[in-house]
Amino acid sequence: MKRQLIAAVGVAAMVVGVAACGSSAKKDDSAGGSGNYNGKTLTVWLMDGSAPQTWQDGIKADFESQYPGAKLNIQIQKWDGIGQKLTTALSEGSVDVMEVGNTQTAGYAASGGLMDLTSAKADLGGNDWAANLNASSVLDGKQYAAPWYFTNRVVIYNKGLWSKAGITGTPKTLDEYYADLDKLKAAGVQDPIYLPGEEWYTYFGLLSGEGGQIAKQVGGKWVGNLESPEAKAAFATFQKLQGYSTAPKDKDEATPQQDTLFPKGTIASMIGLGWEAPAPKDMPADNVGYFPVPGKTADKPSGVFLGGSNLAIAQASKNQGLAKDFLKLALSDKFEGQMASAGLIPNKTSLDSLATTDFDKAALPASANGATTPNLANWSNVENDPNPIKDFLAAVLQGADYDSTAKKYDDEITKRLGQSQ
């Protein structure tokens, strides 16, 4: 996968208010292919690095064949700066259908920018969507988008270093993973695992695996939850794993980009996304392996952070009927299956068998335990720099008291969740 996609997935863009004027725009409410679409053009924004070109070419051909007279105009957008650009487009009605990151969706929905798809959900195939993948498309019980595709982190490992350390298989539990890391360390490997201290996505997954949440509702108010027993247990695991790493405790996985370090041959394993695995030109493919981040027991991998994208329709679109027809086609088994074949997690489990790469085989078992950030319109406030979750991890890893530090950053998370966009 391309870096532009995954570097932005799970990182909420700035979402500012969308003008309510979209609700009064003239709409085309025909649906189901029964409308007169002659001369109409549907504008669809997809993000750079998302749909393969073959997917784009195929859906354009099928769409224009099934809806004679209509044209499909797919425009590829950059993640950098997309928040303000999309906000403007939504208010102006200059885009009909758009790809929206799963941590961004609630913000756009709350601002009034997205069409309510609740009544169309069944027709779009929504009765079969995986519940944990669909969660980010729903706000206050209403469906504002459709889950499109997802991915999660796995352990990427250097088979050569593992073999030299006498390790012949892959671990199924955390204890087995710790034992393998000990063997790698004893064999003189510089980084049995490369894990920067501010790599909060892995911590989030471990917290999910403990049955915990990064924030919770108390008396109708959302508050930070780092003080919880589950958060503390997840940190203990994160700290133990990080102890095998020479990565800085006060930097994240992008500083420097960990995918640039792995091919150097000094890292035995890292927790990463598909695009972070080395290209064949940098390391032979048969020297790179994958396995799910292990859990406490062999029957259940660790929880993971699910990053991904949804498809939504602009409330101000003048082509809402045609837009729903496009969504129905894009979310069909044919085109959703093509996304699965490209190494992504599809929106329903019946298509999982189409995801056949080695990365897919490691990612899919953990995706069932995956979770996303709280589906709140102002969650992006939490991820704004300086990210309090990153700062919390770095502080405690460098010796700060867990309980008092957790309280400090819970207060900051609570404050940000109480702020408007």
Side-chain angles (χ1 to χ4, degrees):
M1 298 187 64
K2 293 186 179 179
R3 180 175 308 169
Q4 293 95 324
L5 165 66
I6 297 302
V9 163
V11 180
M14 178 182 70
V15 181
V16 296
V18 175
C21 62
S23 61
S24 61
K26 182 180 178 181
K27 302 295 190 302
D28 165 15
D29 292 322
S30 57
S34 60
N36 179 12
Y37 297 144
N38 190 46
K40 292 191 174 182
T41 297
L42 190 76
T43 300
V44 177
W45 282 12
L46 301 179
M47 303 309 298
D48 188 24
S50 294
Q53 189 62 49
T54 53
W55 187 97
Q56 296 178 46
D57 294 342
I59 200 167
K60 180 176 173 63
D62 280 17
F63 180 84
E64 294 180 353
S65 172
Q66 292 184 31
Y67 306 104
K71 297 296 182 183
L72 182 62
N73 177 24
I74 296 176
Q75 298 180 8
I76 303 302
Q77 306 295 327
K78 298 288 187 181
W79 282 104
D80 186 28
I82 190 60
Q84 185 60 57
K85 187 175 182 179
L86 182 53
T87 295
T88 300
L90 288 172
S91 65
E92 294 175 345
S94 57
V95 61
D96 299 301
V97 177
M98 73 293 304
E99 173 186 349
V100 186
N102 63 344
T103 64
Q104 304 168 347
T105 306
Y108 292 119
S111 71
L114 306 184
M115 178 185 175
D116 182 352
L117 298 175
T118 306
S119 63
K121 178 181 176 182
D123 192 48
L124 297 175
N127 292 337
D128 295 325
W129 295 337
N132 64 334
L133 303 182
N134 187 46
S136 65
S137 294
V138 178
L139 182 67
D140 297 332
K142 295 182 178 181
Q143 191 83 35
Y144 285 101
W148 187 25
Y149 68 86
F150 300 84
T151 192
N152 57 262
R153 288 164 175 76
V154 305
V155 179
I156 304 171
Y157 73 102
N158 182 320
K159 291 183 178 180
L161 292 180
W162 281 53
S163 179
K164 289 179 181 178
I167 305 171
T168 57
T170 56
K172 301 299 186 292
T173 67
L174 273 170
D175 284 341
E176 290 177 3
Y177 192 21
Y178 296 144
D180 288 341
L181 294 175
D182 284 330
K183 292 176 183 176
L184 290 160
K185 186 176 181 179
V189 174
Q190 174 184 302
D191 280 287
I193 180 175
Y194 183 84
L195 182 61
E198 293 187 352
E199 210 284 78
W200 75 276
Y201 298 111
T202 292
Y203 172 70
F204 181 97
L206 295 172
L207 174 54
S208 174
E210 292 285 350
Q213 297 174 294
I214 204 78
K216 64 179 181 179
Q217 268 192 304
V218 177
K221 177 182 178 182
W222 280 90
V223 301
N225 199 34
L226 297 171
E227 297 167 84
S228 67
E230 295 86 359
K232 194 169 187 176
F235 179 81
T237 300
F238 184 83
Q239 184 177 39
K240 186 165 184 176
L241 289 171
Q242 210 279 327
Y244 289 99
S245 178
T246 66
K249 293 177 170 57
D250 60 350
K251 296 290 188 296
D252 63 17
E253 73 287 352
T255 315
Q257 291 284 354
Q258 62 181 13
D259 66 306
T260 65
L261 303 178
F262 189 84
K264 295 181 179 180
T266 60
I267 295 172
S269 64
M270 67 178 185
I271 298 174
L273 295 154
W275 65 261
E276 293 180 297
K281 66 181 180 60
D282 298 319
M283 181 179 286
D286 59 4
N287 196 37
V288 182
Y290 309 86
F291 59 86
V293 179
K296 292 182 178 179
T297 58
D299 61 326
K300 187 177 181 181
S302 168
V304 290
F305 176 90
L306 282 173
S309 284
N310 303 319
L311 292 176
I313 298 174
Q315 176 63 23
S317 168
K318 297 179 177 62
N319 300 304
Q320 288 188 351
L322 189 58
K324 284 187 282 187
D325 288 332
F326 171 81
L327 253 62
K328 187 174 181 179
L329 186 60
L331 300 166
S332 67
D333 283 3
K334 175 180 179 179
F335 287 102
E336 192 70 13
Q338 287 183 17
M339 297 299 283
S341 298
L344 298 162
I345 297 169
N347 63 14
K348 56 184 178 180
T349 56
S350 61
L351 297 175
D352 284 354
S353 62
L354 298 176
T356 57
T357 69
D358 289 342
F359 174 83
D360 296 334
K361 293 174 184 177
L364 282 171
S367 68
N369 304 326
T372 60
T373 54
N375 197 29
L376 304 172
N378 55 353
W379 173 257
S380 60
N381 292 338
V382 177
E383 294 190 37
N384 288 340
D385 289 333
N387 183 323
I389 307 170
K390 291 183 178 182
D391 288 351
F392 158 74
L393 293 172
V396 183
L397 286 172
Q398 293 178 104
D401 173 69
Y402 184 94
D403 294 326
S404 60
T405 306
K407 183 182 186 312
K408 172 184 175 181
Y409 286 104
D410 271 344
D411 289 346
E412 178 63 21
I413 292 171
T414 301
K415 175 184 174 183
R416 294 190 185 200
L417 289 175
Q419 295 171 341
S420 60
Q421 284 289 341

